[in-house]
Amino acid sequence: MSHVSGENTLQVNEFLVTLDGEAIDTILSCDMFEYLTAEGDADRPLLTFYKQVEDSRDSVFNRWLGETLASQSPASRPRRTFVVTAVNDGNAIRRWTFTGAWIAAVAQGSLDSTSHEFAVERVKLGYDRIACDLIG
């Protein structure tokens, strides 16, 4: 019987997300994503994450969303650099950089007048390239 130790392993609850270098602190979770795929794979899966809905039009994500909504076609959607950094005990361990990222879809979570929960939206990003850096 094998025993898996918690030492020297990454916990999934420590991560940072930036958009063009600005922190997004309302990201709740990111779904699993593939970053080691066949060379030239044009059918990359979308990156899906869940975030709290922000009420500020000036937040980095809402500015990007507004520019996306104003774009005339999918090809003209604004592209950004989206970075997810895994952290362990305050130290960056692994970094995934999504270059040329664009908002492919946004789904508003349920609205319920009897609830006291935060509103959550699901966001799907397409991207031109993904790179993974082992930092720690």
Side-chain angles (χ1 to χ4, degrees):
M1 179 173 174
S2 71
H3 173 72
V4 178
S5 170
E7 289 184 39
N8 298 320
T9 59
L10 182 66
Q11 294 197 12
V12 297
N13 65 346
E14 291 186 80
F15 62 96
L16 305 169
V17 177
T18 62
L19 179 62
D20 285 344
E22 288 187 60
I24 303 178
D25 57 3
T26 57
I27 304 288
L28 302 172
S29 66
C30 288
D31 282 353
M32 189 176 297
F33 51 88
E34 296 176 9
Y35 60 92
L36 187 59
T37 58
E39 183 78 25
D41 183 7
D43 296 323
R44 289 179 205 77
L46 298 175
L47 170 66
T48 302
F49 63 90
Y50 300 83
K51 63 179 289 302
Q52 293 176 338
V53 176
E54 300 168 275
D55 59 3
S56 171
R57 292 181 65 134
D58 294 327
S59 74
V60 64
F61 181 81
N62 282 345
R63 288 192 314 261
W64 188 25
L65 179 59
E67 292 169 14
T68 299
L69 292 171
S71 65
Q72 298 298 314
S73 69
S76 68
R77 290 182 179 168
R79 295 179 184 245
R80 302 287 187 264
T81 299
F82 189 85
V83 178
V84 178
T85 304
V87 178
N88 192 21
D89 293 329
N91 299 310
I93 301 298
R94 194 171 288 184
R95 179 175 295 122
W96 297 273
T97 302
F98 298 84
T99 306
W102 70 90
I103 298 173
V106 178
Q108 173 64 50
S110 299
L111 300 174
D112 181 349
S113 65
T114 64
S115 176
H116 298 288
E117 295 180 14
F118 292 108
V120 174
E121 55 194 355
R122 182 187 68 218
V123 179
K124 293 187 177 192
L125 299 183
Y127 50 91
D128 294 331
R129 185 171 176 275
I130 182 173
C132 177
D133 297 308
L134 303 177
I135 301 165

